Amino acid sequence: MSNCSCKDDRIQALDAVLEECGHDAGNLITILQNAQEIYGYLPSEIIYYVAAQTGVSPARVMGVATFYSQFRLEPVGKYLIMLCKGTACHVNGADTLEDVISNELGITNGQTTKDGLFSLKTVACLGCCSLSPVMMINDEVFGLLTSDKVISILNEFRNKAEGGKDA
Amino acid sequence: MKIVVGQGSCGIAAGAGKTYEAIRACMKESEAFELGSTGCNGMCFLEPIVDIYEGHRLLKRLVNVDAAQAERIVSAVRENRLEDLSDLAIRAEDEQFLTQQTRIALRNCGIIDPVDIRSYQERDGYKALEKVLKTMTPEEVIEEIKVSGLAGRGGAGFPTWFKWNAARQSPGEEKYLICNADEGDPGAFMDRAVIESDPHNLIEGMMIAAYAIGASEAIVYVRAEYPLAIIHLTEAIKQAREAGYIGTNILGTDFSCEFRYMAGAGAFVCGEETALIESLEGKRGMPRLKPPFPAAAGYKMKPSNINNVETFANVAWIILNGGDKFAAMGTENSKGTKVFALTGKIRRGGLVEIPMGQTLRHVIFDIGGGIRGGKKIKAVQLGGPSGGCVPEHLLDTVIDYKALGATGAIMGSGGMVVMDEDTCMVGMARFFLDFTSKESCGKCVHCRIGTRRMLEVLNRIVEGQGQEGDIELLEELCYSIKDGALCGLGQTAPNPVLTTIRYFRDEYEAHIQEKHCPAGECRDLLMYYIDPDLCKGCTACARKCPADAIEGQVKAPHRIDPEKCIKCGTCMSNCKFGAISVR
């Protein structure tokens, strides 16, 4: 546990959230959203911690964490690819793009590459239907995608990550 | 003059943020013109859009403006030579997209600055709330909404006044007013556009409703997938509170009401009102048994009323202009306007608001400009996973709750996805069942297991493993799920399958009997093939193939390895000699 101090910071941040939400299980979703923001995912000890702090069973917290698609129980890669599989994207070829990404990165939906760089997650709709097919990498949206374009975008992110390492 | 850049989510995805920054970078410290920002005007197909105004008058609308044009735009505006920008100006035929619309819910979208309350106030913002609080009783407000004929825009089409009245009449001091902004229907984005582009309109509509039912708190339940909408809503709530439209003794009256939002966490079923309430209470979003209805026992088991974003977006307009003016538009049983998100294989995709009673054909062809790439329209999907596909021969159906219901589809929240001859209807049905089976909350056996069984049958059909009797089996499952499910998600989940069987049974039969996909979309039934007589061995396909499935020497015919091929079609679109075909 070499990063104790930063862990403390995170618990402190979570405690502040719990305080703000009045340790109320009625705000469980908001609390978990903040916890995920702090930790990047919901580690099991945090599920137990939130349960104890809000006075409900860990099963109840786990039930909420597994019900909603936003919550993750595993860490994600540096770049989270959210591939839209909404109706408009489906009609405009999102399934093919999923194959292209899976093929290029060697991962399927829900997985992370071995180097921890990319995670792939398909989502129901990003609401940019007029630019379909669409994907979002971290906070950036990419529209009017083709197989070629997807590969070159992935390569850009790879280069960006490598450049970051060198610097 | 003022340069205004449209920065809704669609615009930003198309690069509007970069355009805005580039224009700002080109401006000097003291310019005679300003730079501003607005939301989405619904012309998503032309993003990024830059408008140039003189006062409130639009001088020129520039479309598809990338950052490289910034320098030119700034100098043309500075020198008052807008004619220099005519190559960027919107084309007359594209303008028809807006001129054929009647905008009420979207009246401010793409015009005002969404995070500047003054911008909303200048367009009669909060005058309706003032009128209601100072001159009308809650009963008079409900009566005005009754006269307007406004019905729930989330999909069910239930009369709004009836719900308000039920919540008003319900005994109890503590009441809640909730806005359902959990826009889960994939393919619909009008609620996102309203919150992003005109958040004060939503707040005003909700505060009027809160007054009508006697609520002490108003809550927006908004999708977490809409980060920009949440930012704008947060800012708008802050401004409205500072201006005295939210809080205690609003505008000096006895009426007090708090306002907040909660971000959902991604569950389609939370669009169902009782599931949404469960979620608001921090639980798994599983629907409750009705009755009691939310009007009697909703959030925290107190009387509550839930309406959709678009419903609230009409309220302030109705109060200011009169319910009769709203009711003058539309048909006998569907009043006012409806917003549709027009997407799919359409030429001009975006947000369309039109009076009820116009035909689907008018929306798709006159406003949307018809199908892209000269293909033929096959069907239009309405209402998302709860709706159905309306085939080409029924496109003269008018937009009306009853008339659309008769086709097997529904009005829904307004998703309108247009499909051409390359879209496989069995694949479409499979797509929606894949969605609903994943989104089923699991409470009712018929929905939880039935949708899964249906998906298995549809999967085997599109994979070429369909069996005689599969269509009948699907129909049987459809009716038992409809009967056995508690909430709207389950009861309507079979609709996409039932309507495609009803109108496109021949496509199902072709998949099952001939193992053939007439649309050429089901990949397990396709084979990409290089004609050795036409292939020049240019290697373009092999270099572009993302799966390394193409082999061959330079200047010799290439071959596709069907084992490796992922059937993405990249080779076909990159072949200059037309040597690659699909069988």
Side-chain angles (χ1 to χ4, degrees):
Chain A
M1 282 290 178
S2 59
N3 55 350
C4 274
S5 64
C6 98
K7 209 174 178 188
D8 280 344
D9 287 351
R10 293 192 292 188
I11 277 289
Q12 274 177 18
L14 183 56
D15 283 340
V17 170
L18 283 160
E19 195 61 38
E20 201 180 315
C21 291
H23 295 261
D24 179 2
N27 295 323
L28 199 48
I29 292 172
T30 311
I31 294 168
L32 292 179
Q33 283 168 335
N34 281 284
Q36 181 161 291
E37 188 78 10
I38 295 165
Y39 288 88
Y41 71 110
L42 296 175
S44 64
E45 61 266 28
I46 294 304
I47 301 269
Y48 281 94
Y49 186 73
V50 169
Q53 292 290 320
T54 51
V56 293
S57 71
R60 159 96 197 271
V61 181
M62 194 64 180
V64 170
T66 52
F67 186 82
Y68 296 97
S69 64
Q70 191 189 16
F71 297 123
R72 320 182 266 269
L73 303 174
E74 303 279 335
V76 284
K78 184 170 181 190
Y79 301 120
L80 174 62
I81 306 169
M82 291 204 274
L83 178 69
C84 182
K85 301 263 278 196
T87 319
C89 290
H90 167 79
V91 168
N92 284 313
D95 285 351
T96 303
L97 298 181
E98 187 180 353
D99 288 349
V100 169
I101 295 171
S102 291
N103 212 61
E104 180 71 18
L105 300 177
I107 51 172
T108 55
N109 183 23
Q111 295 181 332
T112 302
T113 52
K114 284 207 182 82
D115 59 7
L117 208 53
F118 293 103
S119 295
L120 174 63
K121 189 175 180 222
T122 61
V123 295
C125 186
L126 293 172
C128 298
C129 309
S130 300
L131 300 166
S132 60
V134 179
M135 68 175 176
M136 200 163 164
I137 300 184
N138 294 353
D139 283 338
E140 202 174 344
V141 181
F142 299 90
L144 302 173
L145 295 173
T146 60
S147 305
D148 288 357
K149 212 167 151 183
V150 165
I151 290 174
S152 70
I153 291 167
L154 293 179
N155 282 331
E156 270 173 42
F157 276 90
R158 277 191 185 119
N159 293 338
K160 204 154 102 182
E162 271 175 29
K165 252 182 227 162
D166 290 342
Chain B
M1 269 192 284
K2 188 169 185 182
I3 304 176
V4 177
V5 182
Q7 297 197 80
S9 282
C10 291
I12 290 172
K18 288 171 187 156
T19 303
Y20 180 88
E21 286 306 323
I23 292 175
R24 191 159 70 176
C26 292
M27 284 169 64
K28 293 177 191 151
E29 283 224 343
S30 58
E31 295 273 14
F33 58 92
E34 294 170 73
L35 175 63
S37 174
T38 184
C40 165
N41 69 11
M43 300 171 95
C44 307
F45 64 109
L46 296 174
E47 298 282 6
I49 298 173
V50 174
D51 288 335
I52 300 170
Y53 284 94
E54 181 72 69
H56 290 294
R57 196 162 60 91
L58 177 64
L59 298 179
K60 218 168 189 77
R61 170 159 288 156
L62 312 176
V63 299
N64 300 123
V65 183
D66 60 30
Q69 307 294 338
E71 184 93 60
R72 279 182 61 200
I73 294 172
V74 169
S75 49
V77 172
R78 189 183 289 139
E79 290 156 27
N80 202 4
R81 292 172 56 90
L82 295 187
E83 62 278 10
D84 290 357
L85 300 171
S86 48
D87 57 312
L88 294 173
I90 185 170
R91 293 185 307 166
E93 61 164 296
D94 287 338
E95 269 181 330
Q96 291 177 7
F97 182 84
L98 274 190
T99 52
Q100 296 187 69
Q101 300 191 31
T102 304
R103 290 196 156 184
I104 293 176
L106 302 180
R107 63 190 179 279
N108 298 322
C109 293
I111 296 171
I112 64 167
D113 181 346
V115 288
D116 180 358
I117 193 170
R118 288 165 307 173
S119 183
Y120 178 67
Q121 285 166 326
E122 276 171 19
R123 289 177 59 90
D124 294 335
Y126 289 110
K127 285 198 181 139
L129 180 63
E130 194 171 349
K131 176 177 171 185
V132 162
L133 294 185
K134 293 188 174 162
T135 68
M136 293 170 84
T137 64
E139 287 74 17
E140 284 169 341
V141 176
I142 293 173
E143 184 58 30
E144 194 69 55
I145 298 298
K146 185 178 181 181
V147 169
S148 77
L150 179 64
R153 296 295 192 243
F158 203 73
T160 303
W161 76 270
F162 190 91
K163 286 172 76 167
W164 289 16
N165 194 46
R168 166 113 213 126
Q169 300 298 333
S170 198
E173 281 299 301
E174 189 182 340
K175 295 182 184 179
Y176 292 95
L177 189 271
I178 300 165
C179 171
N180 180 350
D182 190 45
E183 190 170 43
D185 168 6
F189 54 94
M190 61 284 295
D191 294 348
R192 191 210 73 204
V194 169
I195 306 174
E196 271 179 16
S197 309
D198 196 10
H200 285 289
N201 186 20
L202 173 65
I203 295 173
E204 186 175 11
M206 285 178 68
M207 293 306 286
I208 292 168
Y211 173 73
I213 69 166
S216 50
E217 188 173 25
I219 310 167
V220 184
Y221 183 92
V222 58
R223 269 187 104 195
E225 289 92 332
Y226 288 170
L228 187 65
I230 291 176
I231 293 170
H232 285 188
L233 184 62
T234 307
E235 182 60 29
I237 293 172
K238 191 175 136 238
Q239 292 172 352
R241 183 170 288 121
E242 280 166 8
Y245 300 122
I246 293 173
T248 43
N249 299 111
I250 296 168
L251 299 174
T253 65
D254 292 340
F255 178 60
S256 300
C257 183
E258 268 310 313
F259 197 106
R260 67 180 169 100
Y261 79 86
M262 175 183 152
F268 177 65
V269 69
C270 291
E272 201 280 340
E273 57 183 8
T274 59
L276 188 150
I277 289 170
E278 288 284 301
S279 185
L280 267 183
E281 294 178 355
K283 302 180 201 146
R284 290 163 70 92
M286 292 164 96
R288 296 176 181 169
L289 200 62
K290 288 192 273 192
F293 288 92
Y299 181 51
K300 296 182 179 171
M301 299 313 274
K302 304 289 181 199
S304 306
N305 176 62
I306 303 186
N307 290 119
N308 155 277
V309 175
E310 190 190 332
T311 312
F312 286 124
N314 286 304
V315 168
W317 189 94
I318 291 170
I319 296 296
L320 282 184
N321 294 276
D324 49 347
K325 205 168 163 197
F326 191 81
M329 288 178 284
T331 62
E332 182 59 36
N333 50 52
S334 304
K335 302 296 185 195
T337 60
K338 176 79 193 87
V339 183
F340 290 96
L342 189 57
T343 60
K345 305 276 181 89
I346 191 87
R347 242 161 52 73
R348 299 197 284 255
L351 289 178
V352 177
E353 181 172 1
I354 41 147
M356 303 271 193
Q358 295 188 346
T359 65
L360 292 169
R361 194 181 296 280
H362 172 71
V363 176
I364 295 166
F365 286 90
D366 299 337
I367 298 175
I371 306 295
R372 264 199 319 250
K375 299 263 183 177
K376 257 187 73 191
I377 184 168
K378 185 192 261 182
V380 57
Q381 212 282 344
L382 301 172
S386 305
C389 292
V390 179
E392 198 273 339
H393 72 269
L394 292 177
L395 287 186
D396 291 314
T397 306
V398 293
I399 291 166
D400 168 287
Y401 287 99
K402 260 193 188 154
L404 289 177
T407 67
I410 57 169
M411 177 84 76
S413 62
M416 194 183 268
V417 185
V418 178
M419 290 166 275
D420 68 8
E421 49 202 336
D422 292 341
T423 309
C424 172
M425 302 313 283
V426 187
M428 203 66 214
R430 197 210 75 85
F431 166 79
F432 282 118
L433 259 293
D434 180 51
F435 181 84
T436 38
S437 67
K438 283 178 188 154
E439 295 292 342
S440 170
C441 78
K443 186 166 184 160
C444 307
V445 178
H446 283 83
C447 175
R448 181 178 73 236
I449 302 176
T451 52
R452 203 138 279 253
R453 291 290 92 86
M454 285 178 72
L455 178 62
E456 286 167 5
V457 175
L458 289 161
N459 273 337
R460 71 173 180 241
I461 295 176
V462 298
E463 285 163 6
Q465 309 291 324
Q467 300 159 9
E468 275 308 314
D470 272 353
I471 299 179
E472 292 71 21
L473 176 58
L474 280 175
E475 285 174 325
E476 189 191 328
L477 284 165
C478 284
Y479 293 116
S480 53
I481 295 171
K482 272 183 175 291
D483 288 343
L486 188 65
C487 84
L489 186 150
Q491 287 160 6
T492 59
N495 285 351
V497 176
L498 285 173
T499 52
T500 48
I501 292 178
R502 178 164 161 193
Y503 298 117
F504 301 97
R505 199 182 185 99
D506 54 332
E507 283 198 34
Y508 279 83
E509 286 166 349
H511 282 77
I512 294 169
Q513 288 155 15
E514 299 153 35
K515 312 296 176 206
H516 169 65
C517 174
E521 195 184 50
C522 292
R523 286 178 291 169
D524 288 310
L525 305 180
L526 297 182
M527 183 88 105
Y528 280 83
Y529 168 78
I530 303 179
D531 186 338
D533 294 334
L534 293 173
C535 178
K536 307 284 186 208
C538 76
T539 76
C541 59
R543 280 183 281 119
K544 290 278 184 187
C545 175
D548 284 328
I550 305 180
E551 48 201 35
Q553 302 294 320
V554 183
K555 294 189 181 172
H558 281 46
R559 204 184 73 80
I560 298 173
D561 180 349
E563 293 288 307
K564 286 189 188 165
C565 176
I566 58 167
K567 296 164 184 175
C568 66
T570 304
C571 54
M572 199 157 102
S573 56
N574 279 291
C575 180
K576 294 191 187 81
F577 308 100
I580 303 176
S581 54
V582 184
R583 288 178 170 179

